[in-house]
């Protein structure tokens, strides 16, 4: 019953996201595929993963799980329902002292079960007006634990205009989600993270004020 | 058959011929431009069917259809506009208050209000809503963008269903034909300008705005759509010459509307307004000429043909 309800809610959320943003997946570097992937994207809004999720065709969406903050998504019953049941989030405790599980182990557990992941390597929502914040190291640790995963950079455009921080009414803007070519794993941490960072930023469309 | 049935049969015939030509070309010489042509024709089918269904269902459906078009057009406009987060409330008001009110007043046929609502009330309300946030950077550009979005995507588009409220003696119950005439002339003029331009176009008419538009295409398109408009006088309350003049006005406004909208696109560094209509770009790419032609055609018709109710 709870699963059926979660399924219907997932569909409703995607329909709503489409109605407001007419979101469109632009697959410039890869095509949608059942391959186990790590989609890593820029993060400007709490709805980022919903948009990215909506841009993935439904048959693969079910096997694509966002990695999200447990302290945010387990705060109340509604968030828990959405975070855990609807989008099947891999919920990670941000504060190290509150952890009883290793975040990388939580992620590899999901990929070993055949799922793809969505992660936001900036580690927090970007409110600065900069295009992209420096990446945290989680992506590197995940990639070195499972070098066979396909690492797909993603740029989410315009969602921060739909609902800026502190606003409660979403406003319609056209949004796109651009999927770039997978990046190669390298065991040099700094170089790898820089390459990942550059790959995401390179997907930002050059329009408007630029 | 009534005029409306003849008209729709004719349009369906044209589309059928176009579809067959598209398929033959695709079989004989497949190329990206043929793909684009086929995509355009398919989108035409959907647009004609949507219009036909709304025509058939009547007034409420027409109002809803164009409210939907306005919503999509305004979303395309604000997406490339220079708004900031401080304008959020103004943009939200434009979408969720002004747009529904405008179409509601059109539906209830309140001419005295809907004809001034956006140019007066919304025009003044938008900067007030935005100014209370206290952000002055680019204020004029930002707020003018929202006002333009409302004027172009809502106010001008909403003139199309307004034709249903006109009272023209001797033309009762046939106002749908005026909408059909307007849309047909605008689109035929667009298509023929393109066709003439491809066929004999040599001299660019506005190289910085729209490199594909030529003097030959402009003249050929406007003249032939004027002739077609005159020949269609029997579906309108106009005489042969009047219908020709109206079609001329519609085609000219459509042409300059296209130029203005493409100047905005260029200024903002985009090629198309969106990509919701395969082969055509966004809603505004299809509506740009209609947006400029509809208010003029409406007011000319109202001024010269409508009796005071």
């Amino acid at each position: 019953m709870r699963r059926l309800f979660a399924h219907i809610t997932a569909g409703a959320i995607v329909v709503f996201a489409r109605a407001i943003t007419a979101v469109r997946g632009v697959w410039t570097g890869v095509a949608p595929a059942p391959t186990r992937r790590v989609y890593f994207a820029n993060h400007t809004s709490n709805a980022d993963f919903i948009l990215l999720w909506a841009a993935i065709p439904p048959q693969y969406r079910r096997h694509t799980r966002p990695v999200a903050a447990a302290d945010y998504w387990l705060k109340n019953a509604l968030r828990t329902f959405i975070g855990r049941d609807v989008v099947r989030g891999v919920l990670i405790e941000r504060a190290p002292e509150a952890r009883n599980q290793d975040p990388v182990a939580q992620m590899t557990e999901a990929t070993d079960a055949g799922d793809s992941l969505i992660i936001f390597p900036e580690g927090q929502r970007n409110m600065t007006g900069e295009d992209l914040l420096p990446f945290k190291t989680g992506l590197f640790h995940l990639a070195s634990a499972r070098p066979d995963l396909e690492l797909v950079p993603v740029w989410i455009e315009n969602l921060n205009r739909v609902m800026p921080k502190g606003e409660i009414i979403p406003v319609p803007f056209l949004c796109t989600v651009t999927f770039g070519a997978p990046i190669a794993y390298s065991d040099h941490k700094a170089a790898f993270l820089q390459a990942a960072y550059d790959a995401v930023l390179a997907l930002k469309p050059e329009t408007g004020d630029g | 058959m009534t005029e409306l049935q003849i008209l729709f049969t004719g349009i369906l015939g044209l589309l059928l011929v176009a579809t067959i030509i598209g398929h033959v070309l695709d079989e004989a010489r497949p190329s990206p431009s043929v793909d684009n042509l086929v995509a355009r024709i398919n989108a035409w089918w959907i647009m004609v069917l949507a219009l036909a269904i709304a025509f058939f269902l009547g007034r409420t459906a027409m109002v809803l259809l164009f409210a939907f078009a306005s919503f999509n057009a305004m979303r395309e406009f604000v997406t490339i506009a220079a708004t900031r987060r401080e304008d959020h409330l103004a943009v939200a008001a434009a979408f969720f208050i002004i747009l529904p009110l405008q179409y509601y007043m059109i539906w209830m046929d309140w001419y005295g209000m809907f004809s001034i609502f956006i140019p007066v009330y919304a025009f003044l309300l938008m900067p007030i809503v935005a100014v209370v946030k206290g952000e002055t950077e680019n204020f004029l550009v930002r707020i003018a963008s929202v006002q333009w979005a409302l004027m172009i995507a809502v106010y001008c588009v909403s003139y199309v269903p307004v034709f249903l409220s006109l009272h023209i003696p001797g033309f009762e119950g046939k106002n749908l034909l005026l909408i059909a005439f307007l849309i047909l002339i605008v689109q035929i003029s667009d298509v023929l300008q393109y066709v003439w331009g491809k066929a004999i176009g040599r001299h660019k008419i506005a190289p910085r705005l729209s490199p594909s538009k030529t003097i030959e295409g402009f003249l050929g398109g406007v003249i032939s759509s004027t002739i077609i408009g005159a020949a269609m006088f029997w579906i309108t309350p106009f005489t042969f010459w009047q219908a020709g003049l109206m079609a001329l006005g519609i085609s000219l406004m459509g042409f300059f509307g296209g130029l203005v909208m493409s100047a905005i696109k260029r200024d903002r560094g985009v090629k198309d307004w969106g990509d919701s209509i395969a082969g055509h770009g966004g809603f505004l790419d299809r509506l740009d000429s209609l947006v400029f032609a509809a208010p003029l055609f409406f007011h000319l018709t109202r001024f010269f043909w409508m009796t005071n109710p």
Side-chain angles (χ1 to χ4, degrees), chain A residues 139-159:
Chain A
L139 179 65
F140 173 76
H141 295 305
L142 174 61
S144 51
R146 293 290 181 276
D148 56 322
L149 292 171
E150 223 173 64
L151 307 168
V152 179
V154 178
W155 180 268
I156 300 170
E157 174 74 3
N158 256 350
L159 190 60

Side-chain angles (χ1 to χ4, degrees), chain A residues 18-22 24 158 161-165 167 169-174 206-209, chain B residues 71 75-76 78-83 85 88-89 91-92 95-96 133 268-270 273-275:
Chain A
R18 287 245 169 85
I20 294 289
T21 68
R24 191 169 53 93
N158 256 350
R161 297 174 77 191
V162 171
M163 211 154 99
K165 188 184 166 79
E167 302 289 347
I169 312 163
V171 160
F173 283 97
L174 296 175
E206 287 175 47
T207 50
D209 297 315
Chain B
F71 177 87
R75 180 165 61 188
E76 290 169 4
V78 294
T79 295
I80 69 155
T83 62
R85 66 173 47 181
H88 191 80
L89 203 57
V91 180
F95 272 102
F96 299 122
K133 296 268 185 179
R268 303 302 302 164
V270 297
W273 286 100
D275 47 26

Side-chain angles (χ1 to χ4, degrees), chain B residues 36 70 96 100 102 104 188 220 256 262 269 280 290:
Chain B
N36 182 266
S70 277
F96 299 122
Q102 172 74 2
Y104 176 65
I188 283 181
F256 286 109
S262 104
H280 292 259
L290 188 65

Side-chain angles (χ1 to χ4, degrees), chain A residues 31-48:
Chain A
T35 330
R36 284 178 310 146
R37 286 173 173 164
V38 177
Y39 298 102
F40 58 102
N42 60 323
H43 193 24
T44 55
S45 156
N46 278 331
D48 274 332

